[in-house]
Amino acid sequence: MTTSRSRPHAAAPPSDPAADRAALALWLTLAALTAARAALTFVPSMWAWSLNLMRFIAPATGWALWAVAALALVPALARVLVPAAAAAGEAIERRRVWLWPAGAAGAAALVGWLPDRVWFVGDFLLRQHTLEGRPTAVATWYPHALPLDLFLHDTFARVLMHRLGALANDTGRLLGAAEAALLALLALAFARALRARGVAALAAAALVFWGGYLTMLTGYNKAFSEMPLVMAAVAVSGLTLVREGRGPLLFGAVLALGFVLHRSSLGLVPVAVTVWILWGRAHPGAWRRPAALAALALPLLALAAMAPRIIAIVTRIDPMHFTPDEVRSAGGVLPGLFLGTRLVDLLNVVLMLSPLAIAMPAMAALLGRSLPWRGEGVLLAVLALPFVGTMPFIHPGQGYYRDWDDFASAGMTLSLLTAWMVARTLERSPRYAWVAVAAALGAAAPSLQWLVHQSDVNRGLERVETFLRERPLRTESERARAWDYLGWRLTDLGRFDGAADAFAQVAAVQPSPRVMRQWAATEALRGDPRHAQEIYRRMLARFPEVTAGWFELARLSYQIGDFEEARRAAGELLRLRPDEPAARALASARWRTAGRT
């Protein structure tokens, strides 16, 4: 790593032909992605779900954002913005006082203005409903959540609800706004840690900030929303430690926070070892200082404390994510890589989370050995490898198009590598400095489109239904869970007709007692109690030991005046649970008298 700091007024070096070719490859990638997003707006298919988002955004907004990215690809137009981009890069390099609070405030305002109203990603709906309920024990609330996850998304969230009167959804939004501000600061700090200059600094900061992971900071109450910040903080503090020898305690603290936040932070162990080795070589004897020893001890203590719990989770829960039934049926892990739409969906996940990462292979090949892999390149590559390398082997139960949050950490590590490669390319290619403008806007536009889309509940629900109806056909389990989501979300919104139809779809595939009870309850809410009664009968004929079903059938039958059925259901409930208060209430004299009239 270089130790001298170049000033912005220094004469620009001549363009490096390899860097010029890499910059051109980046521009061609941006052009291809921009063209694909426009064309796929008119294609009735969900194969390229990361690129066809404009189908599900208000046309004026979607096309306006697309046009900004498209116009930035025109060299003559992009060159007009190069002076402003260079000035912004200089402000990052020189750490202008106004830039940091302005960037943090702007990021917080952005996610506050565009909250997630669809609640589709990952466990959003589950965590939302859990937080709305009464406090529960850690083991029953989420058995694989680590302490910091539980503190942020349950303990602290409930304090906000009880002390400030915040709604459950407000807690995730407030925390997300603070984390978006932190993400903006980390993006600026990353550009400084790279010692990028001018347009290269602006591009580096923009590519780290603008990614699909930004959409999780709009209300999602789960540790996956913090993990990209941990990745960025590790990169910033690690680069600073190796380059300048400063901040060993900060680096150790970031690692420790990761280890108590989520079990996937085990993937940070290789980069931790790498950073300590590079730091020790660059600054001999520095490790003997008390602060350095404390920095080494902090993550080790956190990891030792969490190890038994992490091991238990990895051995008991994670096998279903790596070797589910369909993988075992296919013959093992390697054949399982090619099941269904997995490879296409993985590409979609990468394009969604890190919009320009797909340009890296061509850029790296064109740059060759001129890339400074020693030091900063090795650090960022080792950070990315465990998270990106495991992506093909993870089988998200709800499908990649919903459980992309599983890969948010990998997305950030790809963005960090891409930002580094783009910055180093542009520094050596003054001829293509205008590509920095195209890259920054090419990452910002699709990320903004995702934020806009998830803030529109109607278009968001339309997209979920389109997943279920258009090709490619998803697995039975994925379809059942998506219909189940629609049923619950539409119930939340008071749209009981659509909710009942969604639960009917789930019941046709997975007729469990829980699903059929919810279907029946929703049919009653939509004003069809006779149909609800018939659903209860069908469920109890198949699952006669479900006491809650007998109680609900008895209550519903009484309400609609079918006293004979109410007595029959009450009798079955008494037979199964004679000592329960609900059973005794159903056997009261008032019910018996009502049944004879």
Side-chain angles (χ1 to χ4, degrees):
M1 297 186 183
T2 51
T3 56
S4 62
R5 188 172 182 81
S6 301
R7 305 311 306 169
H9 60 264
S15 282
D16 178 352
D20 286 348
R21 290 192 292 271
L24 183 59
L26 174 62
W27 179 83
L28 290 171
T29 302
L30 284 164
L33 291 173
T34 303
R37 288 188 172 96
L40 290 168
T41 304
F42 307 101
V43 178
S45 165
M46 295 304 291
W47 279 98
W49 54 263
S50 64
L51 297 175
N52 70 354
L53 194 63
M54 286 199 297
R55 291 180 64 189
F56 311 102
I57 304 177
T61 303
W63 283 104
L65 290 170
W66 177 88
V68 169
L71 291 173
L73 292 168
V74 180
L77 297 177
R79 287 191 183 99
V80 173
L81 297 176
V82 166
E90 181 182 351
I92 296 172
E93 182 191 3
R94 295 193 174 187
R95 194 180 285 178
R96 299 297 188 191
V97 174
W98 58 267
L99 180 63
W100 302 82
L110 176 66
V111 298
W113 177 45
L114 295 170
D116 188 340
R117 296 186 176 93
V118 184
W119 305 358
F120 181 59
V121 60
D123 291 333
F124 198 125
L125 198 63
L126 174 62
R127 294 242 173 171
Q128 178 82 6
H129 287 168
T130 303
L131 195 55
E132 288 171 345
R134 62 172 183 246
T136 56
V138 169
T140 57
W141 184 73
Y142 230 62
H144 49 275
L146 294 189
L148 186 54
D149 182 5
L150 289 165
F151 173 77
L152 290 173
H153 301 297
D154 184 65
T155 305
F156 179 64
R158 293 185 189 279
V159 169
L160 293 177
M161 293 168 68
H162 296 153
R163 298 284 179 86
L164 303 181
L167 299 176
N169 186 246
D170 294 337
T171 64
R173 291 181 59 188
L174 288 169
L175 184 60
E179 291 172 349
L182 178 57
L183 176 60
L185 297 178
L186 286 168
L188 295 172
F190 180 74
R192 280 187 54 79
L194 290 180
R195 296 181 176 178
R197 307 183 309 274
V199 295
L202 175 68
L207 296 190
V208 171
F209 180 78
W210 295 109
Y213 35 79
L214 187 61
T215 62
M216 291 192 299
L217 305 182
T218 54
Y220 191 26
N221 265 308
K222 193 173 180 181
F224 282 145
S225 60
E226 285 86 31
M227 284 301 296
L229 277 70
V230 172
M231 300 296 115
V234 166
V236 171
S237 59
L239 286 169
T240 303
L241 180 59
V242 172
R243 275 187 184 279
E244 303 172 15
R246 295 188 297 106
L249 199 56
L250 176 60
F251 181 69
V254 171
L255 292 173
L257 286 174
F259 292 146
V260 299
L261 176 64
H262 195 269
R263 64 191 183 279
S264 64
S265 291
L266 284 176
L268 295 174
V269 171
V271 75
V273 174
T274 301
V275 167
W276 294 125
I277 291 174
L278 292 174
W279 172 65
R281 288 179 176 176
H283 308 276
W287 62 270
R288 297 187 181 93
R289 299 169 187 168
L293 295 175
L296 285 166
L298 193 59
L300 290 175
L301 290 172
L303 187 57
M306 291 294 102
R309 181 163 178 77
I310 291 175
I311 292 171
I313 295 169
V314 169
T315 55
R316 296 175 189 172
I317 295 175
D318 283 341
M320 70 179 182
H321 297 132
F322 289 93
T323 54
D325 291 340
E326 59 265 27
V327 170
R328 291 194 293 271
S329 300
V333 173
L334 291 179
L337 296 177
F338 305 97
L339 286 173
T341 61
R342 281 181 50 75
L343 297 182
V344 174
D345 280 336
L346 273 172
L347 179 59
N348 277 293
V349 168
V350 170
L351 288 170
M352 184 263 178
L353 288 171
S354 185
L356 303 189
I358 195 173
M360 273 200 297
M363 293 180 68
L366 291 168
L367 290 167
R369 295 183 179 180
S370 64
L371 267 175
W373 282 106
R374 285 189 176 183
E376 60 189 24
V378 168
L379 190 157
L380 295 172
V382 173
L383 173 62
L385 184 60
F387 299 94
V388 177
T390 55
M391 287 181 73
F393 302 98
I394 298 173
H395 296 257
Q398 300 180 121
Y400 289 89
Y401 64 91
R402 183 176 182 185
D403 282 347
W404 55 260
D405 59 321
D406 290 353
F407 308 99
S409 298
M412 173 56 82
T413 64
L414 286 171
S415 291
L416 291 164
L417 261 176
T418 306
W420 165 71
M421 193 174 295
V422 169
R424 293 297 175 242
T425 297
L426 295 174
E427 285 175 341
R428 294 160 46 201
S429 180
R431 178 183 177 187
Y432 287 95
W434 57 270
V435 175
V437 175
L441 294 177
S447 300
L448 280 167
Q449 286 176 338
W450 279 103
L451 288 171
V452 169
H453 166 71
Q454 292 194 176
S455 70
D456 187 334
V457 67
N458 293 325
R459 294 180 187 273
L461 295 176
E462 177 191 354
R463 180 169 173 267
V464 177
E465 290 196 40
T466 303
F467 265 118
L468 292 166
R469 301 188 189 282
E470 289 185 354
R471 292 187 178 277
L473 184 66
R474 304 292 165 176
T475 67
E476 182 179 285
S477 174
E478 291 172 0
R479 286 183 285 119
R481 294 186 182 191
W483 281 117
D484 192 52
Y485 155 82
L486 282 173
W488 285 105
R489 190 70 185 104
L490 290 169
T491 300
D492 287 337
L493 296 169
R495 304 177 188 178
F496 300 122
D497 288 345
D501 292 342
F503 284 124
Q505 293 281 354
V506 185
V509 178
Q510 296 180 349
S512 68
R514 195 270 302 170
V515 168
M516 297 192 74
R517 286 175 58 209
Q518 188 60 36
W519 179 22
T522 312
E523 289 288 356
L525 288 170
R526 83 189 295 192
D528 194 351
R530 292 290 179 181
H531 191 195
Q533 185 186 49
E534 177 57 30
I535 294 168
Y536 279 126
R537 287 172 179 155
R538 285 162 52 189
M539 180 198 74
L540 291 164
R542 186 168 183 171
F543 307 101
E545 303 301 315
V546 180
T547 56
W550 288 113
F551 175 76
E552 290 160 5
L553 175 59
R555 182 176 60 184
L556 176 69
S557 299
Y558 179 79
Q559 290 171 349
I560 64 177
D562 189 346
F563 301 120
E564 181 178 351
E565 183 69 346
R567 272 199 311 276
R568 184 182 77 86
E572 289 295 326
L573 182 59
L574 281 167
R575 180 181 64 81
L576 293 170
R577 298 290 175 86
D579 296 329
E580 280 198 358
R584 292 197 298 270
L586 289 173
S588 67
R590 178 173 61 84
W591 280 65
R592 290 181 180 178
T593 302
R596 296 191 188 100
T597 59

